[in-house]
Amino acid sequence: GEEERAPKLRVFFMPFFASGHIIPMTDLACIFAKRPGVEPTMVTTPANAALILPTLDRSASFGHPVQLLLYSFPSAATNLPSGIENLASVSSDESWKIYKAVDLSRDAQDRIIREHTPDAIISDIPFWWTTAIAKDLGIPRITFHAVGVFPQCIMNNLVKNRVHDHVRTDSHPFTIPDLPGPSIKMMKSELPEFLKHRDHLTSAWDDLKKSQLESYGVVVNTFYELEHEYCDLFREVDCRRAWFVGPVALCDEQGKVGRGGGQSEAARENRERCIRWLGGKEAGSVLFVCFGSWCYFEDEQLREMALGLEASGMEFLWVVRGDHGEHVKTEWMPEGWEERVQGKGLVVKGWAPQAAILAHEAVGVFMTHCGWNSLLEGLGSGKPMLTWPLVFEQFMNERLVVEVHKVGVRVWDGFISSSEKEKVVVQEAD
Ligand code: UDP
């Protein structure tokens, strides 16, 4: 009939090179795929595409295909080995290369957009030039935000009034001005690098904000009820139109696959091992410990965490990452620890199916670094959180959990000794 012949609306989804962005954008593309008359396409680089293939396969198996278009990652120009295209797969002192790759991808993105002429582009905030390309083609560009509105409001305010420039020390708490809701205090040491140093990157910030304002609108992976006062403020100052479309993780209702782990044998094995292990545990008995796709700890801290988890007496499923993606050492394990916690604790190296684990009834508490996706997934699971923010806007996200919604308790205070950790875990379990 008429409908079948009507051309589909072709929407491009273009994520930044980090799993915390690629995962929610793929989820969003899968949501679009469920709409008749829409043809979503993930547009990314080969190694990043590999991470989302299981999710795309799963969506296709339900009759909701998402197309895939690839452009090359600027490996030679960033001096990164081929196949290293994600923040999680570079060592921390090389992460700047991934940011450099953003700018270096501009021409390739321009070419692929002009060649395929989509009807709309949903692109990540760092790809500010897509606003101009879209304008040129007479199509809308919508800016995608992988983090919520609460941290964005705080960052906007601090960029504007720079109250943190006037604090006595880095660890002196100050109040975030002009923020609705409860009074929020932070310390300079908790701010993202670009805010800490005056003049640092603010021109880049201005470019991003300008292109966002000139774009058709903004989609944010959050939901209005979670941060409504902040959503209203954000709409007022930050964009012409905003859609709060999250939590997009709900596109995969049972969280069966665990997104973003790719098709590697290790990821598949971890998936099966975790779910099998949780299957033998009582409801609400397990503490799930995970710090996102790329944060990692030094051996000394891992050792204290190991002893703290053991001393807490709780059952735990702990995801441990190394500095370089999948490569995880075991030198940090205290003598005899693995044998002592056998059966009680499961250590997963590399990638675990977080969404599926959180959805499992055996999990009672979630210890998290408060990455935005983890925050949403944690809240969505209805399980209380133990917060341990590390970098970026994670300290701000943590305030939303602990101070605004009061559904979490802080573990973090710099270096955590095992006795402190035991204390918090035991209190929370009670
Ligand atoms: N994730 C996962 N398994 C892991 C580590 C992370 O499935 O072992 C997923 C997690 O469910 C979330 C995303 O990766 O969807 C991490 O995003 P978040 O914003 O929480 O943190 P980031 O990795 O950006 O620091």
Side-chain angles (χ1 to χ4, degrees):
E2 262 318 289
E3 250 170 50
E4 269 167 42
R5 267 182 281 122
K8 289 197 166 190
L9 190 73
R10 290 168 314 129
V11 186
F12 270 19
F13 292 81
M14 309 181 72
F16 170 60
F17 313 124
S19 302
H21 292 239
I22 294 161
I23 292 172
M25 217 190 245
T26 308
D27 288 345
L28 189 60
C30 292
I31 291 169
F32 269 65
K34 292 180 184 170
R35 296 291 174 99
V38 182
E39 184 186 281
T41 302
M42 288 299 296
V43 183
T44 185
T45 62
N48 285 311
L51 296 176
I52 57 173
L53 285 177
T55 308
L56 299 187
D57 286 349
R58 190 166 144 86
S59 188
S61 74
F62 288 128
H64 311 303
V66 174
Q67 309 300 317
L68 191 56
L69 262 181
L70 303 181
Y71 59 92
S72 312
F73 187 86
S75 303
T78 49
N79 200 16
L80 280 168
S82 91
I84 302 297
E85 305 177 356
N86 185 296
L87 208 50
S89 47
V90 297
S91 65
S92 44
D93 47 340
E94 284 194 321
S95 52
W96 61 272
K97 292 184 176 177
I98 296 289
Y99 295 105
K100 190 172 160 203
V102 168
D103 285 327
L104 292 171
S105 299
R106 185 174 170 174
D107 289 345
Q109 293 186 358
D110 189 300
R111 267 197 305 278
I112 206 164
I113 293 168
R114 287 178 199 278
E115 186 186 335
H116 294 271
T117 58
D119 299 304
I121 301 171
I122 300 185
S123 56
D124 222 321
I125 177 128
F127 303 149
W128 53 268
W129 48 83
T130 49
T131 294
I133 302 172
K135 201 168 178 187
D136 208 26
L137 295 174
I139 60 171
R141 180 241 173 163
I142 295 170
T143 312
F144 175 79
H145 282 281
V147 306
V149 164
F150 178 77
Q152 292 191 59
C153 286
I154 294 181
M155 287 188 272
N156 282 341
N157 288 6
L158 293 182
V159 166
K160 205 168 95 197
N161 54 44
R162 300 208 62 97
V163 280
H164 54 288
D165 283 341
H166 310 293
V167 292
R168 256 180 288 144
T169 66
D170 280 6
S171 54
H172 194 82
F174 65 93
T175 304
I176 308 291
D178 308 324
L179 205 62
S183 163
I184 299 296
K185 284 195 166 48
M186 295 198 68
M187 297 184 278
K188 194 168 174 180
S189 60
E190 298 175 318
L191 301 181
E193 286 305 311
F194 87 95
L195 277 172
K196 276 187 198 158
H197 317 288
R198 219 179 218 298
D199 302 329
H200 185 67
L201 272 180
T202 45
S203 63
W205 173 273
D206 291 343
D207 281 340
L208 300 187
K209 287 291 168 171
K210 189 162 167 280
S211 102
Q212 173 181 305
L213 263 174
E214 287 170 5
S215 71
Y216 185 78
V218 173
V219 285
V220 192
N221 184 18
T222 187
F223 53 104
Y224 187 73
E225 292 75 9
L226 177 67
E227 18 177 29
H228 59 99
E229 290 163 293
Y230 312 102
C231 289
D232 293 340
L233 176 66
F234 178 75
R235 261 205 181 111
E236 223 171 86
V237 299
D238 233 21
C239 50
R240 292 191 293 155
R241 302 182 188 87
W243 292 276
F244 307 112
V245 298
V248 294
L250 294 181
C251 72
D252 185 15
E253 285 86 0
Q254 290 93 35
K256 281 220 178 86
V257 173
R259 296 117 58 238
Q263 283 172 317
S264 75
E265 196 52 43
R268 215 186 345 255
E269 264 173 31
N270 279 349
R271 209 174 288 154
E272 282 160 21
R273 202 155 69 100
C274 289
I275 300 305
R276 200 178 331 116
W277 189 83
L278 287 172
K281 300 295 170 191
E282 274 174 38
S285 66
V286 175
L287 167 67
F288 172 50
V289 185
C290 187
F291 296 89
S293 64
W294 64 276
C295 284
Y296 74 100
F297 292 99
E298 300 296 341
D299 285 0
E300 196 193 355
Q301 181 67 83
L302 286 175
R303 199 168 302 121
E304 290 297 317
M305 287 167 82
L307 293 171
L309 286 170
E310 181 188 1
S312 77
M314 268 196 91
E315 308 206 84
F316 61 88
L317 196 167
W318 179 16
V319 187
V320 181
R321 307 181 46 74
D323 192 2
H324 279 270
E326 300 284 304
H327 177 71
V328 187
K329 300 173 294 177
T330 49
E331 284 94 77
W332 53 268
M333 282 192 187
E335 179 93 32
W337 181 82
E338 221 176 352
E339 293 74 45
R340 293 199 301 275
V341 299
Q342 181 119 52
K344 237 185 156 174
L346 180 66
V347 174
V348 176
K349 293 172 197 146
W351 195 262
Q354 174 163 303
I357 292 170
L358 280 172
H360 202 286
E361 62 165 10
V363 172
V365 187
F366 179 26
M367 184 180 292
T368 171
H369 72 315
C370 298
W372 187 258
N373 295 288
S374 295
L375 178 152
L376 284 181
E377 292 162 19
L379 284 170
S381 75
K383 291 162 190 177
M385 287 180 255
L386 292 173
T387 61
W388 189 335
L390 296 162
V391 287
F392 284 165
E393 87 304 340
Q394 291 160 10
F395 294 90
M396 303 172 183
N397 301 342
E398 190 228 27
R399 299 300 197 279
L400 187 66
V401 171
V402 174
E403 318 240 339
V404 179
H405 291 298
K406 302 187 195 311
V407 290
V409 176
R410 163 173 281 213
V411 188
W412 178 86
D413 199 6
F415 183 82
I416 310 286
S417 70
S418 51
S419 57
E420 284 171 273
K421 183 158 174 153
E422 174 194 349
K423 208 165 62 197
V424 182
V425 171
V426 169
Q427 277 168 1
E428 187 62 18
D430 290 345

